[in-house]
Amino acid sequence: MKRGLVFAICSLFVVSVIVFPITALAQDDIVTVLGVWGGHELEVFQEVTKAFTEKTGIKVQFEGTRDLPTVLQTRLAAGNPPDIAAISGPGALKQYADQDALVDLSEVFDMNTITESLNPTWIELGSYDGGFYGLMFAADIKSLVWYRPDQFAAKGYEVPTTWDEMEALMDKMVANGHTPWAVGLESGAASGWPATDWIEDILLRTAGPEVYDQWVDHTIPWTDPRIKEAFEIFGTIVRNSDYVYGGPVTVLSTNFGDSVNELFTDPPRAYMHRQASFITSFIRDANPDVVIGKDVSFFSFPSIKPEHGNPMLGAGDMLAQFNRTSAADEFMRFMASADAQEIWVGSLGKLGTNSKIDPAVYPDDLTREMAAALNDADVFRFDGSDSMPAAVGSGAFWEGTLMYVGGDDLDDVLEYIETVASESY
Amino acid sequence: MNRLKIKKYAPRVVVNALVIFAMIIWIVPTLGLFITSFRSASDVARTGWWTVLNSPLKFTQYTFENYKNVLSTGGMSTAFRNSFIITIGGTVVPVFLAALAAFGLSKLHFGGRTFFYSLIVMMMVIPTQMTFVPVLRLYNKLSMSGTFVGLWLVHTGYGLPFAIFMLHNFFQALPDDLFQAAYIDGASVWVTFTRLALPLSVPAIASLVIFQFLFVWNDLLVALIYLGGHETVAPLTVRLSSLVGSYGQDWHLLTAAAFVSMIVPLIVFFSLQKYFVRGILGGSVKG
């Protein structure tokens, strides 16, 4: 009996070694991709890779993890990075480019013809230190305020186009006993990022894109009065229980994806929500009966100082190549094409970067409007926190906003971020 | 008479009340998770799980949708199979080796054994993360990254220090006279190990198996680093974590996923449970 058990375990062991083969590493007809996508995104990405395999015969081996920076950095240090990885933005791009880990895409793409389909903005975002390293294949726009047109009409509220109008609107709502904003900053280990988007949007509108770039590159310190002003404008909203649903405590403890639902209670607990275009998928999941575009719509985050206009803040899906194989080259070229992007943006409500995408693939009019807004924006800036070194952009900046919302003194917060920043650049 | 009763039972009531209180605190998060796993996505987004307590018998508010979604995800059976392969190898190898090593270190008298034992115990403080890069680099040279055998060895390495420590303490408690008697009767070292030490240490080994099984079964990071997240080799934990979108969409599915992945460890725990308590005490009382 006991011998039988031992024998069974041993044979199971041997069989499993023999039967389940070693996974293939670096073959010519396989491209390995590391990404953060899961759930529905993963299904759509698999559709994209299926189309690629049908077209070229090259198999795609996708590995997904939300812990991508850890895994990627470890693999890189150990010498077996994936052929291609999705990275979070220009900040990560710089980090890997400085390690000489990236393939210069100007050797992969024909740089003379790529500009026909890819807007120079996207190429510039993926360029660093004279090389072209990151391919933006889809974008999200962030400077959006979501609201319910029916509620606005019923209560006599009008969409503001300037900050003065916005302030007047907020005060009018408070006077009517309504709460203007729903804000949620909780996002697990990434808590705080929605607040960084707010501050970036405000800074772009109070100080302009040049100062914004200096801030991202850390040529001006965090203690600069213009940065402080952006934090303060954000603070007047989220630190005031009249302006934001539940006050700072709720802001800190509510998940960003759940906070938008305050708009859909009856009566609404809040009337406006500032969030990127991808929030529609959260709205749809939690409120199946809400029609996007009709029951809920967006307006652009209003301009604050007229001379800086209405810049567009955004982020996107960026691919970087780590191994120079012909299969990986093929895949990068495919992801830049309208064919691949139409599948990706059509199902996910994101915006493609290839200008030859057929607008009909966007799931609804609202997304088409966003695509148009993106094309029309005079100024586009990539999410600042994703462009900074990780210790600041996905560390001290996130923490700092949480400390500030939690009631800490602003000067202390900015000094703290500045200390981290001065060690990280 | 009455006063005697109070004297006799009062301490017990207090203790029981304290235990029940601690249990409730312990169990509430799990209960919340369990209830959430039966609620629809829109309910989860709008209200907390405790709202069902208002009308717990209204069965229309519960749904199996999350479980259906989790179990119907593509590649779930492959993920279960991978988890089993990884966990069985990652448990059997270290426990077997640890038993040999612990026996040697506690019952064979050779020079420097205290030194080796303290060396092994010191290894327990090395953070796993520190070993990733060098080991992975070695694996790439030997083309062992992405293989189950590689992962077994890694889990063996990470599990051994604690396993040896635990079994060593247990073997120490076995009386030396017993082994000397066996030697006088002509038993070899191997025979004393298999016929004396192993049968006597079943409780300790059973609880070690539970520890190691849970550790390997629940592991996400080590598998992700050495095996990769590709679905032909990814264990259950990796597969389940990819149910959630990059912005944390669909996290409510994880509530159901948690219970799906919990089933196997629960079976292991309950089938070995009768040894478990004895095992924890193993080595704590030295003769």
Side-chain angles (χ1 to χ4, degrees), chain B residues 95-118 120 160 163-172 174 176 179 183 188-190 192-194 196-198 201:
Chain B
V95 170
F96 179 69
L97 291 182
L100 287 177
F103 180 73
L105 287 169
S106 63
K107 287 291 171 245
L108 301 183
H109 301 270
F110 58 92
R113 62 188 184 130
T114 325
F115 169 75
F116 284 115
Y117 180 60
S118 14
I120 289 168
L160 269 182
I164 293 174
F165 171 74
M166 189 172 156
L167 288 182
H168 179 267
N169 282 0
F170 189 86
F171 286 145
Q172 276 303 57
L174 300 176
D176 273 342
F179 292 89
Y183 290 136
S188 67
V189 174
W190 177 251
T192 54
F193 174 66
T194 52
L196 272 180
L198 278 189
S201 61

Side-chain angles (χ1 to χ4, degrees), chain A residues 142 192-202 274-276 278 313 383-386 397 401:
Chain A
K142 296 200 162 192
W193 69 259
T196 67
D197 286 2
W198 268 89
I199 289 162
E200 288 156 15
D201 251 337
I202 294 169
R274 199 222 71 101
Q275 190 49 277
F278 58 72
L313 183 74
D383 188 328
S385 56
D386 289 340
F397 191 6
T401 59

Side-chain angles (χ1 to χ4, degrees), chain A residues 120-370:
Chain A
T121 315
W122 307 124
I123 295 176
E124 203 180 301
L125 276 173
S127 299
Y128 170 66
D129 210 10
F132 172 39
Y133 295 112
L135 172 71
M136 283 273 292
F137 71 97
D140 294 303
I141 53 176
K142 296 200 162 192
S143 309
L144 306 176
V145 179
W146 297 87
Y147 73 109
R148 287 173 61 181
D150 56 336
Q151 290 291 338
F152 263 51
K155 310 276 161 58
Y157 299 144
E158 271 170 35
V159 169
T161 53
T162 66
W163 196 249
D164 289 339
E165 286 175 29
M166 176 59 98
E167 280 176 336
L169 175 66
M170 293 195 305
D171 289 335
K172 193 174 165 192
M173 285 179 175
V174 172
N176 289 351
H178 297 148
T179 308
W181 293 97
V183 182
L185 302 184
E186 193 274 328
S187 179
S191 292
W193 69 259
T196 67
D197 286 2
W198 268 89
I199 289 162
E200 288 156 15
D201 251 337
I202 294 169
L203 186 69
L204 271 175
R205 285 165 176 74
T206 54
E210 284 75 31
V211 174
Y212 181 88
D213 291 341
Q214 290 167 0
W215 170 64
V216 169
D217 295 336
H218 200 235
T219 48
I220 55 171
W222 282 80
T223 43
D224 188 282
R226 289 165 294 192
I227 314 288
K228 193 178 171 188
E229 188 194 1
F231 269 82
E232 277 167 345
I233 292 175
F234 175 59
T236 53
I237 294 172
V238 290
R239 288 173 67 156
N240 185 335
S241 303
D242 287 338
Y243 284 158
V244 69
Y245 175 72
V249 175
T250 304
V251 169
L252 286 174
S253 58
T254 306
N255 183 271
F256 76 96
D258 295 338
S259 61
V260 67
N261 294 320
E262 316 298 2
L263 268 60
F264 302 103
T265 52
D266 185 35
R269 293 175 186 154
Y271 285 79
M272 292 182 287
H273 181 72
R274 199 222 71 101
Q275 190 49 277
S277 41
F278 58 72
I279 198 68
T280 51
S281 65
F282 288 84
I283 298 175
R284 251 192 298 261
D285 279 353
N287 311 279
D289 41 331
V290 167
V291 181
I292 312 277
K294 181 173 152 286
D295 298 329
V296 61
S297 187
F298 71 84
F299 56 86
S300 290
F301 199 75
S303 70
I304 299 179
K305 286 188 184 154
E307 66 268 30
H308 298 306
N310 225 340
M312 185 59 77
L313 183 74
D317 300 311
M318 193 180 259
L319 289 179
Q321 191 177 343
F322 291 82
N323 292 322
R324 192 79 209 274
T325 64
S326 59
D329 289 1
E330 274 300 322
F331 190 75
M332 288 303 267
R333 285 194 281 264
F334 180 70
M335 290 309 288
S337 72
D339 291 348
Q341 294 188 7
E342 279 173 3
I343 303 174
W344 185 247
V345 300
S347 302
L348 292 178
K350 289 171 177 261
L351 312 169
T353 54
N354 189 311
S355 53
K356 290 185 179 147
I357 287 181
D358 179 4
V361 301
Y362 289 117
D364 45 51
D365 286 341
L366 201 69
T367 317
R368 268 186 285 279
E369 260 173 61
M370 285 192 254

Side-chain angles (χ1 to χ4, degrees), chain A residues 13 16-17 20-23 25, chain B residues 85-87 89-91 93-94 131-132 135-136 138-140 142-159 212 216 219 222-228 233:
Chain A
F13 215 61
S16 53
V17 177
F20 307 113
I22 291 162
T23 47
L25 288 166
Chain B
I85 296 171
I86 293 165
T87 313
T91 309
V93 179
T131 62
F132 285 166
V135 176
L136 193 58
L138 181 72
Y139 270 25
N140 289 332
L142 304 172
S143 5
M144 268 177 39
S145 60
T147 66
F148 290 127
V149 179
L151 197 62
W152 290 339
L153 289 181
V154 167
H155 277 304
T156 304
Y158 293 148
Q212 184 69 13
V216 179
D219 161 70
V222 174
L224 210 50
I225 296 280
Y226 294 106
L227 211 49
V233 290

